Amino acid sequence: MTSSPNAYWRWSGCSPPPPPARLLVQRDDIGHALVTYVLIPTVLTVVPPSSRSLGERFYDLIRELEQTRECEAEFAVVREHVQFISDLHDIQGHTLHVVKLKIGLAQHERGFRTAATFRPPVAPRPQQG
């Protein structure tokens, strides 16, 4: 047989078989034929759909990341409000306690009696004469 892969087909007067059928007939350069007719079409068939699904997953992750950032921002605002309310409650409690202490001190200094010990003044009785 000659060195050219198509020499047999020229000698027989037939046209060469389509590329996949060449794998069954010609065994000269099977590695090149496998790469050319099997590996490359398989990659071109599998890669675009898988890259599309990877792209969709990527954008889903980006969307989820944005939602998480929005939730964290809202949570930070709520946490700040709670901190402010807690501080305000502490300040008001402290102020009321100081007011109560000052009232107690003022009552003590003036000798003010509490309601339990307080007796209303009695009007003097008219003298009988």
Side-chain angles (χ1 to χ4, degrees), residues 39-113:
L39 184 64
I40 292 175
T42 303
V43 168
L44 292 176
T45 304
V46 171
V47 169
S50 63
S51 65
R52 180 178 177 195
S53 65
L54 288 174
E56 289 174 357
R57 180 67 181 140
F58 175 74
Y59 286 113
D60 289 344
L61 287 174
I62 295 296
R63 208 173 303 120
E64 184 178 332
L65 178 65
E66 289 174 358
Q67 290 174 349
T68 303
R69 285 181 180 168
E70 289 174 5
C71 288
E72 286 180 2
E74 291 175 8
F75 183 67
V77 169
V78 169
R79 188 176 20 210
E80 188 175 327
H81 288 172
V82 168
Q83 182 65 40
F84 175 75
I85 291 168
S86 175
D87 292 344
L88 184 62
H89 178 266
D90 292 345
I91 291 169
Q92 286 180 337
H94 177 72
T95 303
L96 289 174
H97 184 70
V98 169
V99 168
K100 181 180 175 185
L101 289 176
K102 287 184 178 181
I103 289 172
L105 181 63
Q107 288 175 346
H108 179 71
E109 287 179 356
R110 294 192 178 218
F112 187 85
R113 291 176 267 173

